[in-house]
Amino acid sequence: MARLLVSTSKRYRARLGLGAVLLAAAMAGSAAAEDLPPPLAPAAPVPPGRIDMAIGKIDEIVEDVMARSGVPGLAVVVVRDGETAFAKGYGVRKAGEDQPVDTDTVFQLASLSKPISATVVARAVGEGVVDWTTPVVDHLPWFALSDPYVTSHVTVGDLFAHRSGLPEHAGDDLEDLGYDRRQILERLRVLPLASFRDSYAYTNIGLTAAAEAVAVAAGTDWAMLGEDTLFKPLGMASASYRVADYLAHDNRAAGHVDVDGSWQAKYVRKPDAQAPAGGVSASVSDFGKWLAMVMDRGDVDGEEVIASDALLPATQAQMISGAIPDPAARPGLYGFGFGTGVDASGRVVLSHSGAFAMGFATNFQLLPLDKVAIGVLSNASPTGVPESVAHSFIDLVEFGEIRRDWYAAYRPRMLPLSAPAGSLVGKTPPADPAPAPAVDALVGTYQNAYFGPVEIRETDGGLEIALGPKPILYKLTHWDGPMFAYRPITENEPEGSVAALTFSLDGDEPATALTIDYLDENGFGTFDR
């Protein structure tokens, strides 16, 4: 299978060359549909005036969705033919205050960072620093996964396409506990792997490993690489991979979470450990500059920023990311950091969503054939708002009407991203619980190869748990017998989470182990004394 991915083969280079020609034709925007090669011809061309009409409906679309969702703030940009055609802010930066969102308000972009990072890598590929097929261990010799073959063969492209075999969201739980980037990457070697290159699982930290390898190859750190090779050339003055830079902006949106039906700015998401996957912050105005560059195949004002043949593989399907089990369903497709699907009109759409349970949701949709794109940034945890605005706009462009209630469609699919974690959520303690074991039998340090140590401490007549390198402290509340409860608050254990911690004991002897339910997804939730 490795041979299929060798970019130096004549067959691969020929495919790239043909792809570049077809993409250029698609983005030329002047050919009639009947003059386009069959793979490019749309089912229904966009008639003159249609995009202007769609832009004219944006205020109405946004006002409707904001009224229904209560989301405090939103910013929208539309790029057309490589130029910003519309940009506007709506609502406020922070609930309860009156500072308005404008086009310079800085948002955390969450997973829109992935396609942005793919363009940083494409710049490095075009300059010959790396290739999409470069093995990660060429530049991170300390990096390892649980299979030696995968360790030596997994490439930058594999990790940007989420096809390494790592479990879904591998390493996110370590970030929640406060481990830094290097510590998290080193612990990935403990995790079991699915089939290499033919199984898809979305992994922030896996993509981060690839980006880290590219930065090392370039002789710098990732944040500087992004700044020097992408943000500065594009004039994206507000953009950064560092959370400290986001927090330094006076004109920035605060993240909001839903607390009993009210949007509240309670938390600050700090994604530095996975910055290539989720750490970009930027204004909608600057995000529009990035959209324009992608739309123009790596050019800005006629000058090449990224070589088009290096960018093209990122924007083409590299992996099937999922499909409804129905022969009539369109498959989900993923490139290198880009969603690359086909929509109901038959057009290829470049896209991605971003979501922080701690308070941001984002989306973009780009139609390469028609050279139009929309980006939507919001300052509230994911409820489908950005997706519904973007898809309503795309409907108007492609069909001349909004064909369904996109907010009603997306809301039930997005809310689980902010759902509380833990097996005790929604449950009440037993009225007559079995007595707790003696405190002396429980206190002590328990070890785990993946999560590291946790410590059970006695405090004020009760117990607390200390997790992670900092550590993070949570009070334990007795539930039933050897089971205790606590309430974690992290990106992946949002507001309302209730964890079950259960000790393993043999009679009156000290506990030999403890198991934490929400950390046990991959079978690593047990800590041994």
Side-chain angles (χ1 to χ4, degrees), residues 332-387:
L333 301 170
Y334 203 85
F336 295 143
F338 282 82
T340 60
V342 177
D343 73 6
S345 77
R347 287 172 170 81
V348 169
V349 182
L350 305 183
S351 66
H352 216 288
S353 283
F356 282 160
M358 285 187 165
F360 285 92
T362 56
N363 180 264
F364 84 89
Q365 306 280 323
L366 189 156
L367 301 178
L369 181 65
D370 302 290
K371 298 197 71 175
V372 64
I374 183 170
V376 187
L377 315 179
S378 74
N379 61 353
S381 56
T383 61
V385 167
E387 290 81 6

Side-chain angles (χ1 to χ4, degrees), residues 304-528:
E304 181 181 278
V305 174
I306 299 172
S308 60
D309 61 349
L311 178 59
L312 180 62
T315 59
Q316 291 182 310
Q318 302 289 342
M319 194 65 189
I320 296 175
S321 58
I324 299 170
D326 187 306
R330 293 183 297 275
L333 301 170
Y334 203 85
F336 295 143
F338 282 82
T340 60
V342 177
D343 73 6
S345 77
R347 287 172 170 81
V348 169
V349 182
L350 305 183
S351 66
H352 216 288
S353 283
F356 282 160
M358 285 187 165
F360 285 92
T362 56
N363 180 264
F364 84 89
Q365 306 280 323
L366 189 156
L367 301 178
L369 181 65
D370 302 290
K371 298 197 71 175
V372 64
I374 183 170
V376 187
L377 315 179
S378 74
N379 61 353
S381 56
T383 61
V385 167
E387 290 81 6
S388 63
V389 172
H391 279 281
S392 295
F393 173 80
I394 295 297
D395 264 4
L396 289 169
V397 169
E398 293 181 332
F399 306 116
E401 62 180 1
I402 299 174
R403 304 195 110 186
R404 68 183 299 180
D405 184 339
W406 287 105
Y407 181 63
Y410 268 105
R411 179 178 167 80
R413 291 164 173 80
M414 301 301 286
L415 283 176
L417 297 177
S418 302
S423 60
L424 300 181
V425 172
K427 297 181 180 179
T428 56
D432 187 21
V439 168
D440 289 346
L442 307 180
V443 295
T445 300
Y446 300 75
Q447 296 285 347
N448 181 290
Y450 178 64
F451 289 110
V454 300
E455 186 180 358
I456 303 298
R457 302 172 179 175
E458 184 176 8
T459 175
D460 298 328
L463 293 172
E464 68 179 9
I465 185 171
L467 303 105
K470 294 297 183 189
I472 304 169
L473 304 178
Y474 295 109
K475 181 182 178 181
L476 299 183
T477 301
H478 181 243
W479 190 270
D480 189 22
M483 181 184 292
F484 290 73
Y486 69 93
R487 295 181 176 272
I489 294 290
T490 70
E491 171 63 22
N492 294 287
E493 289 75 48
E495 186 94 17
S497 296
V498 188
L501 184 157
T502 305
F503 291 95
S504 298
L505 299 100
D506 186 6
D508 295 329
E509 295 297 315
T512 58
L514 64 83
T515 300
I516 300 172
D517 60 352
Y518 73 94
L519 297 180
D520 203 32
E521 184 174 353
N522 294 308
F524 286 90
T526 296
F527 298 72
D528 297 315

Side-chain angles (χ1 to χ4, degrees), residues 224-236:
M224 285 302 303
L225 184 65
E227 184 175 323
D228 291 341
T229 65
L230 187 72
F231 299 152
K232 286 182 179 178
L234 267 59
M236 298 172 65

